[in-house]
Amino acid sequence: MFLVDLLFPNRCLQCNRIIHHDEVVCELCFNQIHFTHHHFLESNLLLEKCRLLFPLENALALMHFEDESVGQKIIHQLKYGSRKKIGAILANWTAEKLDFNSLGVDLLVTVPLHPKKQKERGYNQLHLFADHLSKQLKIPCDHTLIKRNFYKKAQAKKNREQRIFNENLFSITKQISNQHVLLVDDVFTTGNTMSAVAWQILKEGNNKVSVLVMAMD
């Protein structure tokens, strides 16, 4: 490992400084990350946005997702740059910076990729994140509860067509009841995807939903 570090040193994603092989950014650039600090707030913007779309208990985001920001670069490297270890790093930051003790969550559930998309990418970035977080929090994780039914996003222009598509975008694969589910995704933008998944869980027997994302736009 020492020889590999000498020949191919790990470098900060932001400033290109040489850093430890288990890190993703240097200390200076880490301080530039815009963390949300949602655990200090009774309410937050993500929670307010989600409640316009579906009923939920709580919503937490680790970072803000801003153009050309350090946080955006980190997530893009996880999703598209094959930097798989970033999933564990983000999970560590999440466990350290967000308080899950009061949520009373029973199960972590990831928003699924279509199998074809996962095959193209070679991995599911949410699995890397959620599996590590599951071990940290000692909460079970289920990657198969929700199935994505379509490979491509809807191209419909009419609102009604878009709504019908969203309602059928996901399906639930097994019965679930009396569970508080923490839905996990990478970036929250419009909330349409998260809402489509949440309603699949909520329409089952007496379930509750909370939301966790790596970053919110």
Side-chain angles (χ1 to χ4, degrees), residues 100-141:
F100 293 89
N101 292 330
S102 60
L103 292 186
V105 171
D106 300 306
L107 184 66
L108 304 183
V109 173
T110 50
V111 173
L113 286 175
H114 190 275
K116 185 176 180 180
K117 174 66 73 174
Q118 184 167 331
K119 186 176 180 180
E120 290 174 354
R121 187 170 295 171
Y123 61 95
N124 186 322
Q125 74 279 1
L126 290 180
H127 292 184
L128 301 174
F129 173 75
D131 286 344
H132 195 81
L133 188 62
S134 173
K135 293 177 182 178
Q136 295 259 48
L137 302 179
K138 295 180 173 55
I139 299 172
C141 186

Side-chain angles (χ1 to χ4, degrees), residues 6-203:
L6 286 176
L7 297 175
F8 306 101
N10 187 31
R11 293 185 178 274
C12 173
L13 291 181
Q14 178 72 359
C15 69
N16 210 38
R17 287 188 180 94
I18 294 176
I19 56 177
H20 191 271
H21 63 82
D22 285 334
E23 297 174 339
V24 64
V25 291
C26 68
E27 185 175 351
L28 290 175
C29 293
F30 177 82
N31 291 329
Q32 297 177 28
I33 298 174
H34 192 183
F35 290 107
T36 64
H37 307 293
H38 276 171
H39 63 294
F40 289 123
L41 307 174
E42 292 185 6
S43 185
N44 60 70
L45 184 58
L46 178 61
L47 179 62
E48 293 169 6
K49 287 184 174 182
C50 287
R51 280 184 170 159
L52 295 174
L53 302 171
F54 57 92
L56 79 163
E57 304 302 308
N58 214 325
L60 300 169
L62 175 64
M63 305 178 289
H64 291 282
F65 193 78
E66 300 149 331
D67 287 343
E68 304 301 322
S69 66
V70 180
Q72 184 190 60
K73 290 180 181 178
I74 290 171
I75 291 178
H76 280 180
Q77 282 298 308
L78 172 61
K79 293 181 69 173
Y80 311 116
S82 296
R83 298 285 297 272
K84 297 181 182 181
K85 69 178 181 181
I86 293 176
I89 291 171
L90 288 174
N92 288 338
W93 293 353
T94 300
E96 291 170 0
K97 292 183 174 295
L98 298 177
D99 181 13
F100 293 89
N101 292 330
S102 60
L103 292 186
V105 171
D106 300 306
L107 184 66
L108 304 183
V109 173
T110 50
V111 173
L113 286 175
H114 190 275
K116 185 176 180 180
K117 174 66 73 174
Q118 184 167 331
K119 186 176 180 180
E120 290 174 354
R121 187 170 295 171
Y123 61 95
N124 186 322
Q125 74 279 1
L126 290 180
H127 292 184
L128 301 174
F129 173 75
D131 286 344
H132 195 81
L133 188 62
S134 173
K135 293 177 182 178
Q136 295 259 48
L137 302 179
K138 295 180 173 55
I139 299 172
C141 186
D142 191 335
H143 300 310
T144 64
L145 179 66
I146 301 295
K147 173 186 175 183
R148 184 183 287 264
N149 297 321
F150 305 106
Y151 173 62
K152 292 184 178 180
K153 294 181 179 180
Q155 300 299 317
K157 295 181 180 180
K158 295 181 180 179
N159 290 337
R160 182 175 181 276
E161 291 174 344
Q162 182 68 55
R163 178 177 57 79
I164 292 172
F165 179 88
N166 285 338
E167 289 174 354
N168 294 282
L169 180 57
F170 299 99
S171 57
I172 199 161
T173 63
K174 64 190 83 169
Q175 289 186 334
I176 177 175
S177 60
N178 298 308
Q179 296 288 293
H180 184 180
V181 175
L182 182 64
L183 283 182
V184 180
D185 204 357
D186 44 31
V187 180
F188 184 96
T189 50
T190 64
N192 290 334
T193 298
M194 187 68 78
S195 177
V197 176
W199 279 113
Q200 291 296 325
I201 296 170
L202 289 169
K203 71 182 184 182

